[in-house]
Amino acid sequence: MKSGVVVFPGSNRERDMLRALDEITGTKPVPIWHAETELPDLDLVVLCGGFSYGDYLRTGAIAARGRIMPAIAKAADKGVRVLGICNGFQILCEAGLLPGVLMRNAGLKFVCKEVKLEVTNADTDFTRKYRQGEVWRCPVAHGDGNYFTDPETLKRLEGENRVGLRYAEGTNPNGSLNDIAGILNERGNVFGMMPHPENMIEPLNGATDGRALFESVLEAVA
Amino acid sequence: MKARIKVTLKNGVLDPQGKAIEGALGSLGFSGIESVRQGKFFEVELAETDPAKARAAIDEMSKKLLANTVIENYAVEIDEQ
Amino acid sequence: MKARIKVTLKNGVLDPQGKAIEGALGSLGFSGIESVRQGKFFEVELAETDPAKARAAIDEMSKKLLANTVIENYAVEIDEQ
Amino acid sequence: MIPNDVRITPELVAEHGLKPDEYQRILDLIGREPTLTELGIFSAMWNEHCSYKSSKKWLRTLPTTGPRVICGPGENAGVVDIGDGQAIIFKMESHNHPSYIEPHEGAATGVGGILRDVFTMGARPVAALNALRFGEPDHPRTRHIVSGVVAGIGGYGNSFGVPTIGGEVNFDPSYNGNCLVNAFAAGLADTDKIFYSEAKGVGLPLVYLGSKTGRDGIHGATMASAEFGEDSEEKRPTVQIGDPFSEKLLLEACLELMASGAVIAIQDMGAAGLTCSAVEMGAKGGLGVELDLDKVPCREEGMTAYEMMLSESQERMLMVLDPAREKDAEAIFVKWGLDFAVVGKTTDDLRFRVSRHGDIMADLPIKELGDQAPEYDRPFVKTAKPKQLAPADVAAPNDLGEVLTKILALPDMCSRRWIWEQYDHLIQGNTAIGPGGDAAVIRVENGPKGLAFSLDVSPRYCAADPVEGGKQAVAECWRNLTAVGAEPLAVTDNLNFGNPEKPEIMGQFVGCIEGIGEACRALDFPVVSGNVSLYNETNGKGILPTPAIGAVGLLPDYEKRATIAFKAEKEALIVIGETKGHLGQSIYLRDIVGKRDDASAPPPVDLGLERRNGDFVRGEIRAGNLTAVHDVSDGGILVAAAEMAMAGGIGVSLKPQTDLPLHCWAFGEDQARYLVTLAEAEADAFIARARETGVPAARIGTTGGHELTLDGGVPISLTGMKEAHEGWLPAYMAAGAEL
Ligand SMILES: Nc1ncnc2c1ncn2[C@@H]1O[C@H](COP(=O)(O)OP(=O)(O)O)[C@@H](O)[C@H]1O
Ligand SMILES: [Mg+2]
């Protein structure tokens, strides 16, 4: 699987992501500089975690208007898988590739801890290697993960089964609507989530529950 | 020419900061606070000297970047002098 | 009674946010932007009906919580009606 | 000709923190009245913070060399060889006064400064820790300072992208008006790609990199060394704002530039930015420096030479570049969107010359400014030796269990989760042991090596007996590294004290350094970097002597590490080291019996025993014989056992074999001790091995169940202990109005 990781000024989990993709997909992912206007031919484009442009103004707001974004939107239209983790999720929302916004955590504090995630839709390109309803361990590390959208959009998201992951067992760390941790676009090829599966892939991390997420995409594009 | 932009959350959009501030003011002993909403405020210095053109430009900037129109409203004020 | 509080950075205090926004507006193709400063904006609904009392209370709140007077200034506006 | 605009009055001299004799020295040096800019430069270079004038004499007594030391004190950070052509580069630095004035930005810029010290030398930061000291919880300002400092540290490190994996926190009235924020950072570099600040070569371009210069923190350096008085409010506007985003860009740009081979010398702009960095680079290289301030990128209109030379705007660097590579260098900085300007050059005349609008604003001898700054041998009185406290002198409580629960919920003893959950301790994906253990451990990229980090000092011990307290701080760091299976390599220190012009405070300083030096020598634990913060007093009230030690250890294989959590039921719990029930200066004595400022002696530190016991434990960990390890410190055996139980979610029943009064056995703080667990079947053989090496080892209990029971006493539920332990800090912070 050919994958690439977009690097914005202020991205800071690109190395974690590159390592995870390398290890799990067996193919070296390519870093993609934000100032590019075209993407190489890829099966998966990842927007990684960090504080792009310091997360100044609004998280992900400035990156979402960056030079590379039109190319990413184009790829998404063509059906290329796009995965946004943490700041990547925030960027996808700001760019309109996913609905809603990620607001300040309800507790108003940055929170770095392990949470439980329930797979509420195992029939997606990003979750198919999990069982429906499976609950897995994953760390979060963010100050703005409080997913919010208007009632209509929320109804559609739920109705169309586009909530892929939910915080489970009372571990919602940010006040997110309906415990939403990760959502899909209509077409199902763009996925955004706040937690960090790339930091849950080897025994060192305490568990390997995050691997299946990347293995899902691997299988989907195969 | 100077422009001032106020960005506020639309009604119905939850405002974690506002809520927290409300609570904090309460525990600081302030009473009779019915609601607190937090927004943003920008001051932009422009080379443009024509107020109309300036307003148009600022409006553009607000739509394109300064406000997330999904959840936020904005109001522009232009300093004539 | 409604109060509006504008909180802005004191002159000369570094404003990383404003700096980043300035850069972003530039790369979005907006020209002639000389400077951008970001501040905060609060709307507070008060039970208080006496404008003078309201102003005094808001002033207190601003000093104590809404503004960090080490680096920020604030300005209060009271809505009479 | 130098335009001498401003008359230099005695008031002006005093305002710059210079003593009359120091000003006289300036006059003798330059043979004329200094310009205002020159006065500012002298005040910056000769203040305590930059010149170490009160501490130098004593710092020299510390051991700073060893087979693994590549670079000791004198550079931005210390450099230690960890094999395979790799080095760990680390240092700790204080930002106490700025953090008291504006907790969030003060702490944030403190983190920014120490990260810069590390990547200035070519290292990518891989770990950050912090040692924090706050006033008593009931003091009206404490909560505000805690919340601001923690948010500031997290806000900066999280955005920059370094895992913040440990530290320590104390609350004490002596910090009411003067909190301590000591930030530690460590980075990895290849031993053949380390960069230094010593300028080399005459006529080479001096390049300014990073953010623009504003009026930030002017006189910050002088402030950082000035005792706080009622007027500290007025000092406020000098506080700098941290910009972690620019710092992250600066990191990437610097590492890229260094890899390109264009960098000859580099120095970050910290305290008194442009002045300190330019003078340090020239003085170290035996070169003069010429600065044309008109070339300095400015954020504000009409900045004067004085302001530019004293500005402490953050996220800035000064470099000497290979002229042939200037263009590539500039391209890299443009790519990262940072300012880049040639602001001067090196000369061969050993002068520091600064010009503005074509006028010479300063023309000074660079050596005397820099490495030949004044030095004092301050008078001191040694702290009187405290008296030993006999176990019998301390009353026994009626209910040990109740006391244990109380201790677990004390401000100094409770869980710090509320703090470290605001720090990204997982980023970079190499965290093997995060916050909450004895030492934090990270994997060295791709393994198998690991690095361990710990910050320690017990100020109450240091106050009672500076020498023993200094030894103990080093010993506890060494023990914490050992307890995870690491070989202790080297230390950095952050010496926080009161006003050195007071002989009894100077006596504390001298005593602590003596103890630190003795311990570092005995444990082959060289001091490779550090920082001194003096005048930590408000209205004449001195802080407890707080020489924080930061230590680094090496694990050949990070998989062979030990953690404190009980792993299984029915395992043997064994104490290593001798338990004598020493209660002098113990948590039990201070917080349960209620004797603060008690004059009793802290536990004596026997460095021979430390080494013998520690080496044995480390060997057993590496041989894979132990399932859990925890060093015994504040609160004694009972607290250590409770922490292991809570961490593992497994109870323990304790059966002490001792003729000591039970509370002395339970809460005594004798040094050089560890608790370890291993399979029941292996216990006897283990104890035998220990005895062969002359290491005291005694079986004290068995793991299992969901309670802690002490010798048949009333069982204490794990849940109850956890509630007490986890509950205090969140409840305390929630009780206030802080955001
Ligand atoms: N207590 C100490 N022990 C050992 N070295 C010290 C101590 N205090 C300062 N140093 C060393 O003196 C040099 C200057 O210290 P400092 O001014 O804090 O560094 P920087 O200028 O990089 O902030 C550094 O190399 C530091 O390691
Ligand atoms: Mg430095």
Side-chain angles (χ1 to χ4, degrees):
Chain A
M1 174 172 88
K2 296 194 257 48
S3 62
V5 177
V6 184
V7 180
F8 292 97
S11 298
N12 65 20
R13 258 185 171 84
E14 70 272 22
R15 306 163 123 251
D16 308 44
M17 183 57 72
L18 290 163
R19 189 203 288 137
L21 289 167
D22 187 9
E23 215 190 285
I24 297 168
T25 70
T27 326
K28 276 234 169 301
V30 292
I32 300 162
W33 185 237
H34 70 103
E36 302 298 326
T37 50
E38 266 159 43
L39 289 174
D41 159 49
L42 297 170
D43 304 304
L44 172 67
V45 181
V46 180
L47 286 82
C48 64
F51 286 67
S52 57
Y53 297 92
D55 273 350
Y56 297 145
L57 183 58
R58 294 181 308 275
T59 57
I62 297 177
R65 291 147 180 86
R67 294 182 58 186
I68 187 71
M69 292 310 292
I72 291 173
K74 201 141 116 276
D77 281 341
K78 286 212 243 76
V80 175
R81 305 331 188 269
V82 179
L83 173 62
I85 302 285
C86 199
N87 195 225
F89 185 14
Q90 296 161 337
I91 293 169
L92 290 173
C93 289
E94 273 281 344
L97 290 170
L98 288 171
V101 290
L102 291 140
M103 309 199 51
R104 191 87 189 275
N105 292 350
L108 296 193
K109 287 188 193 60
F110 185 98
V111 45
C112 178
K113 68 199 292 194
E114 193 174 297
V115 299
K116 300 275 183 62
L117 295 176
E118 181 185 357
V119 180
T120 39
N121 180 356
D123 182 21
T124 82
D125 292 352
F126 302 87
T127 56
R128 59 203 286 168
K129 291 293 243 180
Y130 295 97
R131 277 172 287 99
Q132 181 72 25
E134 179 176 347
V135 172
W136 53 286
R137 297 167 49 192
C138 192
V140 295
H142 60 251
D144 301 75
N146 187 350
Y147 184 79
F148 179 85
T149 189
D150 57 88
E152 306 74 62
T153 314
L154 184 62
K155 228 157 123 261
R156 283 193 56 202
L157 279 176
E158 296 287 5
E160 293 164 11
N161 215 348
R162 283 161 55 194
V163 178
L165 296 170
R166 259 186 245 278
Y167 301 110
E169 301 172 14
T171 61
N172 182 341
N174 52 38
S176 187
L177 263 182
N178 293 16
D179 296 322
I180 288 173
I183 59 168
L184 284 163
N185 67 342
E186 275 170 66
R187 178 166 174 180
N189 65 317
V190 178
F191 187 66
M193 64 187 284
M194 286 312 296
H196 289 285
E198 77 274 25
N199 286 139
M200 207 51 153
I201 59 165
E202 52 181 332
L204 174 77
N205 308 139
T208 59
D209 301 21
R211 294 186 81 95
L213 189 119
F214 300 97
E215 287 158 355
S216 298
V217 188
L218 193 58
E219 188 181 84
V221 304
Chain B
M1 177 159 281
K2 194 186 209 127
R4 298 196 176 74
I5 305 99
K6 260 185 228 163
V7 175
T8 52
L9 285 169
K10 290 181 173 168
N11 293 336
V13 176
L14 102 163
D15 175 8
Q17 267 128 313
K19 273 212 158 12
I21 293 166
E22 225 172 284
L25 286 172
S27 60
L28 277 175
F30 292 100
S31 60
I33 292 156
E34 282 155 5
S35 88
V36 179
R37 304 278 288 171
Q38 175 166 355
K40 297 196 188 78
F41 179 72
F42 302 93
E43 290 175 323
V44 180
E45 283 286 355
L46 293 167
E48 182 58 68
T49 53
D50 172 323
K53 290 217 188 77
R55 180 175 295 278
I58 294 289
D59 200 63
E60 241 346 78
M61 295 178 203
S62 305
K63 274 207 210 64
K64 278 224 177 98
L65 181 68
L66 299 182
N68 176 348
T69 50
V70 177
I71 50 165
E72 295 170 324
N73 298 322
Y74 64 90
V76 179
E77 239 178 66
I78 304 277
D79 247 7
E80 298 300 326
Q81 66 292 351
Chain C
M1 177 157 288
K2 191 185 213 134
R4 297 196 178 74
I5 304 97
K6 257 186 233 167
V7 176
T8 53
L9 280 171
K10 292 183 175 169
N11 285 336
V13 174
L14 174 69
D15 179 7
Q17 307 226 38
K19 208 171 92 199
I21 295 164
E22 214 175 296
L25 288 171
S27 46
L28 281 173
F30 293 99
S31 59
I33 292 160
E34 280 155 7
S35 89
V36 179
R37 304 275 289 171
Q38 175 168 351
K40 297 196 198 84
F41 179 73
F42 300 94
E43 290 175 323
V44 180
E45 283 285 356
L46 291 167
E48 181 58 65
T49 53
D50 172 328
K53 289 216 189 79
R55 181 174 295 279
I58 294 291
D59 199 65
E60 213 30 48
M61 297 177 200
S62 305
K63 279 208 203 67
K64 280 228 177 90
L65 189 67
L66 302 181
N68 174 355
T69 52
V70 178
I71 52 176
E72 295 170 326
N73 296 323
Y74 64 90
V76 178
E77 243 179 62
I78 304 276
D79 249 8
E80 298 300 325
Q81 65 290 359
Chain D
M1 176 51 217
I2 301 187
N4 216 346
D5 33 25
V6 186
R7 279 271 311 80
I8 305 302
T9 63
E11 297 69 37
L12 202 52
V13 171
E15 217 179 277
H16 281 74
L18 289 160
K19 300 267 168 358
D21 59 312
E22 290 174 328
Y23 183 61
Q24 188 50 51
R25 180 177 176 144
I26 292 174
L27 294 176
D28 300 344
L29 254 179
I30 64 176
R32 57 173 166 82
E33 178 172 293
T35 65
L36 181 60
T37 306
E38 288 175 327
L39 187 68
I41 290 172
F42 272 109
S43 76
M45 291 309 299
W46 284 8
N47 73 20
E48 198 60 62
H49 181 81
C50 290
S51 71
Y52 290 85
K53 58 191 170 192
S54 303
S55 55
K56 257 194 205 146
K57 169 177 198 277
W58 300 100
L59 297 183
R60 276 194 214 99
T61 67
L62 295 170
T64 60
T65 57
R68 284 182 179 275
V69 176
I70 293 175
C71 172
E75 277 295 328
N76 286 307
V79 183
V80 175
D81 194 326
I82 59 167
D84 312 302
Q86 293 172 301
I88 184 75
I89 299 184
F90 62 97
K91 178 164 187 275
M92 179 154 49
E93 191 158 289
S94 65
H95 227 214
N96 303 337
H97 294 73
S99 300
Y100 180 75
I101 290 167
E102 213 307 281
H104 188 284
E105 296 307 323
T109 48
V111 172
I114 197 63
L115 287 168
R116 262 188 319 281
D117 276 335
V118 164
F119 70 78
T120 301
M121 299 195 73
R124 181 175 284 279
V126 293
L129 293 84
N130 50 87
L132 309 177
R133 306 249 148 38
F134 303 112
E136 63 197 321
D138 297 339
H139 187 276
R141 244 180 101 69
T142 300
R143 196 178 273 107
H144 165 74
I145 292 176
V146 173
S147 92
V149 163
V150 170
I153 290 171
Y156 205 100
N158 299 346
S159 174
F160 177 82
V162 64
T164 303
I165 52 176
E168 55 169 356
V169 185
N170 287 147
F171 295 83
D172 185 88
S174 74
Y175 307 111
N176 280 356
N178 194 130
C179 62
L180 301 184
V181 174
N182 296 172
F184 170 103
L188 278 171
D190 293 343
T191 49
D192 59 354
K193 295 195 196 62
I194 293 164
F195 291 79
Y196 299 97
S197 57
E198 174 187 340
K200 296 199 196 71
V202 175
L204 296 188
L206 212 55
V207 178
Y208 171 116
L209 309 159
S211 299
K212 289 182 165 41
T213 296
R215 294 190 170 92
D216 316 280
I218 291 174
H219 272 176
T222 343
M223 173 179 90
S225 307
E227 192 175 331
F228 268 17
E230 297 300 354
D231 72 336
S232 57
E233 303 288 314
E234 277 58 69
K235 297 202 172 93
R236 283 182 157 187
T238 67
V239 170
Q240 320 92 305
I241 304 291
D243 179 2
F245 172 55
S246 295
E247 178 108 331
K248 165 73 165 162
L249 301 183
L250 192 58
L251 163 75
E252 299 300 340
C254 285
L255 294 186
E256 197 173 325
L257 191 59
M258 288 163 164
S260 81
V263 179
I264 293 172
I266 175 168
Q267 171 67 30
D268 69 296
M269 299 195 214
L274 202 48
T275 296
C276 276
S277 51
V279 169
E280 266 180 51
M281 293 180 87
K284 277 194 189 135
L287 295 169
V289 167
E290 248 173 51
L291 291 180
D292 176 359
L293 296 182
D294 301 352
K295 303 266 174 49
V296 171
C298 284
R299 202 173 76 227
E300 293 173 64
E301 300 295 307
M303 288 190 67
T304 66
Y306 178 90
E307 292 171 322
M308 291 164 116
M309 293 312 291
L310 293 188
S311 163
E312 295 192 348
S313 294
Q314 302 289 298
E315 294 89 26
R316 302 181 300 164
M317 293 273 187
L318 204 59
M319 292 190 188
V320 176
L321 282 186
D322 171 353
R325 315 294 305 282
E326 208 175 298
K327 282 282 146 282
D328 335 356
E330 185 160 9
I332 290 174
F333 270 75
V334 169
K335 169 185 163 193
W336 288 101
L338 295 165
D339 274 286
F340 176 105
V342 177
V343 295
K345 62 172 194 301
T346 57
T347 68
D348 59 3
D349 65 2
L350 283 174
R351 302 292 293 180
F352 183 50
R353 226 175 272 107
V354 177
S355 66
R356 177 74 165 147
H357 305 316
D359 294 325
I360 303 286
M361 305 305 289
D363 186 349
L364 301 168
I366 205 163
K367 281 277 181 191
E368 289 74 6
L369 268 180
D371 46 26
Q372 286 165 31
E375 198 178 318
Y376 294 133
D377 183 356
R378 302 229 186 247
F380 62 91
V381 292
K382 292 212 163 210
T383 310
K385 271 280 166 201
K387 57 169 185 2
Q388 289 299 329
L389 183 77
D393 301 352
V394 185
N398 339 355
D399 183 343
L400 280 176
E402 207 173 282
V403 171
L404 172 61
T405 316
K406 262 214 195 103
I407 290 179
L408 292 175
L410 289 170
D412 277 356
M413 300 293 290
C414 67
S415 163
R416 272 62 177 111
R417 180 184 305 276
W418 183 90
I419 291 171
W420 52 257
E421 278 187 348
Q422 295 182 59
Y423 301 153
D424 189 337
H425 47 271
L426 300 173
I427 188 163
Q428 294 184 12
N430 290 315
T431 305
I433 301 180
D438 279 333
V441 175
I442 60 159
R443 168 181 59 187
V444 174
E445 197 75 24
N446 308 325
K449 280 184 303 190
L451 287 164
F453 306 91
S454 177
L455 306 188
D456 294 283
V457 60
S458 309
R460 66 184 191 278
Y461 291 178
C462 295
D465 185 337
V467 179
E468 285 305 305
K471 281 158 67 179
Q472 194 275 342
V474 174
E476 185 170 349
C477 265
W478 191 89
R479 209 180 302 142
N480 279 323
L481 298 177
T482 296
V484 297
E487 168 202 358
L489 294 182
V491 310
T492 181
D493 63 41
N494 202 149
L495 308 175
N496 308 272
F497 290 82
N499 179 351
E501 293 160 43
K502 297 179 180 170
E504 58 285 2
I505 300 277
M506 197 60 201
Q508 295 176 332
F509 183 80
V510 170
C512 285
I513 290 212
E514 180 189 332
I516 291 168
E518 186 184 334
C520 289
R521 258 177 249 107
L523 297 170
D524 296 308
F525 212 17
V527 177
V528 296
S529 66
N531 176 244
V532 177
S533 172
L534 301 174
Y535 300 94
N536 290 290
E537 307 195 337
T538 297
N539 305 332
K541 188 182 193 308
I543 59 162
L544 293 177
T546 312
I549 302 296
V552 177
L554 180 65
L555 295 91
D557 177 356
Y558 73 89
E559 309 243 17
K560 296 211 176 65
R561 63 188 184 270
T563 62
I564 73 170
F566 287 151
K567 303 297 184 305
E569 308 248 331
K570 300 206 176 44
E571 291 201 324
L573 179 65
I574 292 162
V575 60
I576 301 292
E578 202 179 347
T579 300
K580 296 184 183 151
H582 184 104
L583 286 177
Q585 297 302 329
S586 65
I587 290 291
Y588 178 81
L589 187 68
R590 188 189 72 180
D591 296 321
I592 302 302
V593 180
K595 289 201 178 145
R596 255 181 201 273
D597 322 317
D598 166 84
S600 61
V605 178
D606 180 329
L607 297 158
L609 290 186
E610 284 289 349
R611 193 190 263 279
R612 190 194 61 196
N613 297 357
D615 290 349
F616 172 73
V617 169
R618 192 182 312 109
E620 292 289 321
I621 294 171
R622 292 187 174 183
N625 297 337
L626 305 178
T627 52
V629 180
H630 190 10
D631 83 306
V632 179
S633 56
D634 285 347
I637 287 184
L638 197 54
V639 168
E643 287 168 346
M644 296 175 86
M646 290 187 288
I650 298 173
V652 60
S653 83
L654 298 167
K655 296 210 171 16
Q657 322 290 340
T658 177
D659 19 13
L660 289 168
L662 209 49
H663 65 292
C664 300
W665 177 86
F667 302 117
E669 296 181 5
D670 311 281
Q671 300 292 296
R673 294 185 301 163
Y674 303 80
L675 292 187
V676 307
T677 59
L678 70 174
E680 186 63 67
E682 296 162 25
D684 296 340
F686 171 79
I687 289 173
R689 277 201 303 284
R691 300 240 166 99
E692 281 159 30
T693 12
V695 172
R699 173 73 181 268
I700 59 166
T702 308
T703 64
H706 295 90
E707 294 158 334
L708 181 151
T709 47
L710 179 51
D711 215 3
V714 201
I716 313 156
S717 79
L718 283 190
T719 11
M721 287 196 294
K722 262 197 141 95
E723 272 165 22
H725 190 56
E726 294 292 345
W728 187 83
L729 195 47
Y732 170 69
M733 293 311 295
E738 281 313 326
L739 293 175

